[in-house]
Amino acid sequence: MGMLFVLIFWAIVFVVLSLILGLITLPFSYFLCKRQRKKKMVLSFLTPGVFIGIYAVSSFVCMIIIAIILGSDIGIGDSWSIPLKNGYELTSVDTPEYANINSRNDPLKENLIDEITHIQVVGDSVIGKEADGNYFIFNLQNGDKEDNLNYRNFTTKMKSRSITLVNNNTYYWEQRKVPYIIAGIFCLLITILAIKTLWRIALIY
């Protein structure tokens, strides 16, 4: 339901934005275009909507493909998930501010560590901070966990390892940043090519 609401919301935003941008282009195409003025005015009005529509649809398809490859959530809606090592995952519901560690093979999705606010993957372990201010260390090899650690005990157990905890939102983004950027550029190129093709074909006929 959350994903459906997001899709409907953005569809309405895109339609309204397309109409506004299309209307803005009409005076420019009227005064700047001498030949095939009417046809170019129609194309100018349609271009923002076509551009936004193609980019949005192609981006959504890429997000689905990336989610399948990474084993993560699609990137919209009210739930977040990103895989960890050895069948574990980091998940959030409603907001990424608080996250949980679950086993992907557990049908009940029991929280092994919950209310995580900051996280870092160090070798075969996940370390982090919980909402109550305590710290935890979770072994991704055997599932052992040490939680309710104060900062002194936490740093002692980590010994000389570098601790660079990030909030959940940052961690979710870092795991999919590169494929999202590549997909964004790819979708932009497809959209520009489609717009150029539309104008070329329309002006020929």
Side-chain angles (χ1 to χ4, degrees):
M1 189 65 181
M3 183 183 298
L4 180 60
F5 174 80
V6 172
L7 291 175
I8 293 174
F9 170 79
W10 282 111
I12 294 172
V13 171
F14 290 154
V15 169
V16 173
L17 182 62
S18 299
L19 289 173
I20 294 173
L21 293 176
L23 291 172
I24 291 174
T25 64
L26 288 179
F28 294 97
S29 57
Y30 178 81
F31 289 108
L32 297 177
C33 301
K34 303 299 182 182
R35 300 173 55 187
Q36 298 181 297
R37 176 178 287 169
K38 289 184 179 180
K39 186 176 289 187
K40 288 181 179 179
M41 287 181 66
V42 173
L43 286 171
S44 297
F45 177 75
L46 294 176
T47 294
V50 173
F51 186 99
I52 292 173
I54 293 176
Y55 189 83
V57 171
S58 59
S59 296
F60 184 65
V61 172
C62 286
M63 290 169 72
I64 294 175
I65 294 173
I66 291 171
I68 293 173
I69 294 173
L70 295 182
S72 65
D73 63 287
I74 295 178
I76 58 176
D78 56 2
S79 63
W80 291 260
S81 67
I82 202 75
L84 301 168
K85 293 181 180 180
N86 301 322
Y88 295 100
E89 63 180 350
L90 185 74
T91 65
S92 298
V93 178
D94 294 332
T95 171
E97 182 179 356
Y98 300 108
N100 314 300
I101 293 178
N102 310 106
S103 172
R104 297 173 74 98
N105 299 322
D106 181 6
L108 300 178
K109 294 298 180 183
E110 178 186 357
N111 294 334
L112 303 175
I113 301 283
D114 56 12
E115 295 201 335
I116 299 167
T117 59
H118 294 75
I119 189 171
Q120 178 186 350
V121 176
V122 181
D124 291 321
S125 296
V126 175
I127 63 175
K129 186 177 181 180
E130 298 172 273
D132 60 6
N134 289 322
Y135 296 81
F136 71 89
I137 301 172
F138 184 84
N139 191 309
L140 295 171
Q141 287 279 22
N142 54 29
D144 289 345
K145 65 179 180 180
E146 297 179 80
D147 53 4
N148 296 318
L149 300 171
N150 59 39
Y151 185 73
R152 181 177 180 179
N153 290 337
F154 174 66
T155 53
T156 299
K157 289 179 178 295
M158 292 304 298
K159 298 179 181 178
S160 60
R161 293 190 179 184
S162 175
I163 300 175
T164 54
L165 300 177
V166 296
N167 62 52
N168 302 326
N169 210 23
T170 300
Y171 184 79
Y172 283 128
W173 168 243
E174 287 179 347
Q175 303 311 302
R176 63 187 87 193
K177 176 172 62 177
V178 173
Y180 269 26
I181 292 174
I182 294 173
I185 295 172
F186 176 72
C187 293
L188 182 61
L189 293 175
I190 289 178
T191 304
I192 293 174
L193 179 62
I195 295 297
K196 290 183 65 175
T197 303
L198 172 65
W199 275 73
R200 184 172 300 175
I201 294 175
L203 293 178
I204 290 176
Y205 298 100

